[in-house]
Amino acid sequence: MPITVSEFSLVEQTAFLTAYARALDNRAPVPILGDKLSDRVVGLIDYDFAAFRIPASVVRQTALRAKMLDDRVRAFTTANPDAVVVDLGAGLNEPMVRVQPPEEVDWYSIDLPHVIALREKLLTAPPGEHLVAADLTAKDWTAGIPVGRPTMVIADGLFAFLSEQQVIALFAHTIDYFDKGELMFNDYGRVGWLSSLGMKLAPRGMFTVLRQVWANPGFTDPHTPQRWEPRLRLVEQACLAHAAEVDSFPDAARRVTRLAGRFKSVAGKARVLRYKF
Ligand SMILES: C[S@@+](CC[C@H](N)C(=O)[O-])C[C@H]1O[C@@H](n2cnc3c(N)ncnc32)[C@H](O)[C@@H]1O
């Protein structure tokens, strides 16, 4: 019988949005990520996923950014088989299963307590994965995570729901605790008045949820985080519009995305940013 999730807050429900987007990608004729597990997971939850009315462009974007993050984590853990990977705001995502890192890797998936409790019911944690139920706006989430090993901290879809001050504090705490490593996350650039208005006017579906919980104005210049936190150094900005996978998009979507990729300001609205500290 599907599991009921009536106690989930709106922010916690955003985990369903990205899981469902990956499930829809898996059902596409040519999937980008092909995440069968997400498809299975949404089938086990009693929730009106269809009410999100996720546009095809968002499905593609969610799948592609997950793939881009996976590829970089795979490269990092291949080069550093004793690595520690920390997934901030992991939701119901299980990138460890897709990445298949070396078996010495320790992987920490962190999210709010309801989400972690649901993960425990639905997903079998692979060997080496550790679940942490914590609020990332506090500082106790790092307790027990090993230090002194090559560390990659990732976040897919989290920072929109934290204020800028909370993100800055989270970066500082991450670096204070781990001292050295990499930080990588997806980013939407600056959320200008037009995007905010679009979210406000959207009649139903995912944007009615997002406009209530979106807390972060974002930034255009990818060096901004290193101005907040001088121990960070930008090492990569990878725009989704420039990814090779765009070639497999349906015709019209491929043309529009490639065209968007020619304009720096538009391409920067869907990107993966990677920093060293
Ligand atoms: C859009 S979902 C993304 C989930 C997952 N990374 C994915 O790609 O499917 C955002 C996640 O951030 C989590 N989150 C938001 N605020 C948080 C906080 N203060 N502490 C821990 N997790 C938080 C939510 O519970 C949710 O699971």
Side-chain angles (χ1 to χ4, degrees):
M1 206 164 83
I3 296 179
T4 48
V5 287
S6 48
E7 74 283 13
F8 269 54
S9 69
L10 274 185
V11 164
E12 290 165 333
Q13 288 175 45
T14 63
F16 301 152
L17 176 58
T18 38
Y20 187 51
R22 286 188 298 272
L24 292 177
D25 166 68
N26 188 53
R27 295 171 204 170
V30 186
I32 296 161
L33 185 67
D35 183 356
K36 293 188 177 63
L37 187 56
S38 287
D39 207 349
R40 196 146 16 104
V41 161
V42 301
L44 297 171
I45 305 169
D46 181 13
Y47 186 81
D48 187 3
F49 290 98
F52 280 134
R53 296 162 173 256
I54 306 182
S57 58
V58 175
V59 169
R60 283 191 292 270
Q61 228 183 67
T62 308
L64 179 52
R65 77 189 198 210
K67 185 162 191 285
M68 290 168 70
L69 292 163
D70 285 0
D71 289 347
R72 285 155 179 79
V73 179
R74 192 174 299 108
F76 186 85
T77 54
T78 302
N80 302 283
D82 57 337
V84 172
V85 178
V86 182
D87 186 359
L88 305 176
L92 302 173
N93 194 12
E94 190 61 285
M96 192 178 183
V97 167
R98 302 189 301 262
V99 168
Q100 293 286 310
E103 57 187 30
E104 306 91 298
V105 166
D106 280 296
W107 190 298
Y108 289 79
S109 300
I110 308 176
D111 210 295
L112 294 165
H114 287 140
V115 180
I116 293 298
L118 184 61
R119 267 186 94 102
E120 282 167 346
K121 284 188 201 155
L122 294 178
L123 293 163
T124 309
E129 187 184 20
H130 314 269
L131 300 181
V132 180
D135 183 344
L136 289 158
T137 61
K139 287 193 174 169
D140 53 351
W141 60 270
T142 38
I145 304 182
V147 290
R149 287 164 56 182
T151 303
M152 186 170 228
V153 179
I154 60 174
D156 185 357
L158 168 70
F159 294 146
F161 311 112
L162 304 184
S163 70
E164 191 172 281
Q165 283 314 311
Q166 287 170 331
V167 172
I168 294 171
L170 179 55
F171 287 175
H173 178 61
T174 300
I175 302 171
D176 287 346
Y177 184 81
F178 293 108
D179 191 37
K180 269 195 185 61
E182 294 200 8
L183 170 69
M184 176 172 67
F185 52 90
N186 78 298
D187 183 68
Y188 312 98
R190 178 111 193 140
V191 180
W193 67 269
L194 198 56
S195 316
S196 304
L197 186 68
M199 262 197 250
K200 274 201 189 93
L201 295 182
R204 277 178 291 173
M206 58 177 278
F207 297 105
T208 47
V209 175
L210 289 180
R211 73 173 171 237
Q212 295 176 69
V213 289
W214 200 281
N216 197 318
F219 52 86
T220 302
D221 180 358
H223 296 93
T224 304
Q226 68 191 45
R227 282 195 281 277
W228 295 333
E229 175 46 79
R231 292 172 291 178
L232 287 173
R233 182 166 50 87
L234 177 71
V235 290
E236 186 183 10
Q237 168 177 227
C239 296
L240 274 62
H242 301 152
E245 288 81 358
V246 173
D247 288 341
S248 68
F249 285 10
D251 227 26
R254 188 183 63 246
R255 283 169 211 263
V256 170
T257 309
R258 288 292 185 218
L259 180 66
R262 292 206 205 154
F263 302 93
K264 211 168 135 195
S265 57
V266 187
K269 296 227 162 269
R271 60 188 174 182
V272 165
L273 298 175
R274 191 162 61 87
Y275 301 83
K276 286 195 187 211
F277 58 86

